[in-house]
Amino acid sequence: MNENEIKKAFNEIEPESGAQERMYANILKKAAAQKAAVPEEKTSAPAPEKDTSSTVVPLPPRRPTPMWKRYSAMVACLALVVTVTLGFLSPFLHRDSEADDPPVMVGSPFEDVQSAEDFETLGFVIDAPEGAEDVAYCIMDGEIAQVDFTLDGHSYLYRAAKLDGDFSGINSEAVGSVSLNAEYDAVLDCLSPEMWRAHWNKDGVSYYLSNYDGAEESAITDVADMLMESN
């Protein structure tokens, strides 16, 4: 209530003489006290509506990564690094391990023996023809008897075994063949102008006589005939 409204209210009241001034003074005093206690409300324009478009919505607090997930990622990375490193170093490590391994001694397939009598363990005996020189005896692969010798200036390789197939030591195709002895199914193969191979069978044993230094056909035929008769 403002001062003019207060005066108008007093003018409409007809109090006793002298009371009007006192009442007016008291009302003004009371109004002043109320004004000091409760500030006059300010008339203001209606508050504008909030602009929701510019409202900042706070994000929810970020949950910390569990410790086991952190360790799992670290372990996976470490495993990848180790795998790549070992793959790169593998050839070098393998090479070093091979270098450290001692060499393996492989036994010789040839066993030198002293004479034809040492072939008896094989179930048969062969020997060089009479008059042969530089005679040497050995057993090959524990099954094949072998005699090396020279005769009339030519070298010969004589083998026998209870085996099938060609174990003559000269694995070449024949360019020509002649029969030597039908009883023993003996055949002489010409492998080249300087190489010969005679083959026959007797009592379950296969025999091979080879020459590779250019002996005449007649010379190897004579040697083969002597060996077939002696065995």
Side-chain angles (χ1 to χ4, degrees):
M1 179 180 292
N2 57 36
E3 186 176 351
N4 292 329
E5 292 175 347
I6 295 174
K7 286 183 179 181
K8 183 178 179 182
F10 273 106
N11 290 332
E12 294 177 355
I13 300 174
E14 296 182 357
E16 60 182 12
S17 179
Q20 184 175 2
E21 289 77 2
R22 292 193 300 274
M23 291 176 62
Y24 179 68
N26 290 333
I27 290 172
L28 290 177
K29 183 178 180 181
K30 187 175 181 180
Q34 290 179 353
K35 185 177 181 180
V38 180
E40 183 180 0
E41 294 183 359
K42 296 182 180 180
T43 305
S44 58
E49 295 183 359
K50 294 183 179 180
D51 187 1
T52 58
S53 63
S54 61
T55 303
V56 178
V57 179
L59 296 175
R62 183 178 179 181
R63 297 180 61 186
T65 304
M67 194 64 72
W68 67 270
K69 286 188 176 181
R70 297 181 185 177
Y71 290 150
S72 298
M74 293 174 62
V75 170
C77 292
L78 181 60
L80 178 60
V81 172
V82 171
T83 302
V84 173
T85 303
L86 291 179
F88 176 75
L89 296 178
S90 178
F92 301 97
L93 297 175
H94 183 65
R95 186 183 306 167
D96 292 340
S97 63
E98 288 182 348
D100 294 337
D101 291 339
V104 178
M105 300 299 293
V106 179
S108 172
F110 296 93
E111 178 189 355
D112 293 331
V113 294
Q114 297 299 318
S115 66
E117 295 179 356
D118 295 314
F119 296 145
E120 292 180 355
T121 57
L122 301 178
F124 58 87
V125 174
I126 62 172
D127 204 346
E130 187 177 351
E133 299 177 345
D134 303 323
V135 181
Y137 305 90
C138 73
I139 298 175
M140 188 177 69
D141 295 332
E143 297 181 285
I144 302 173
Q146 176 174 308
V147 181
D148 295 272
F149 62 91
T150 60
L151 183 64
D152 298 330
H154 294 289
S155 298
Y156 296 91
L157 176 66
Y158 183 30
R159 289 180 175 178
K162 292 182 177 181
L163 297 174
D164 296 327
D166 185 355
F167 51 86
S168 65
I170 304 179
N171 299 319
S172 300
E173 293 293 332
V175 295
S177 300
V178 294
S179 177
L180 296 179
N181 189 316
E183 180 181 358
Y184 303 125
D185 195 20
V187 176
L188 177 62
D189 295 328
C190 177
L191 306 178
S192 75
E194 296 184 351
M195 296 178 62
W196 300 90
R197 179 180 59 204
H199 172 242
W200 64 94
N201 296 287
K202 184 178 180 181
D203 299 331
V205 179
S206 293
Y207 299 86
Y208 281 94
L209 176 67
S210 303
N211 171 264
Y212 39 85
D213 64 358
E216 298 290 335
E217 179 180 350
S218 58
I220 190 169
T221 300
D222 291 342
V223 174
D225 288 339
M226 286 189 290
L227 294 176
M228 282 186 281
E229 291 298 329
S230 63
N231 294 323

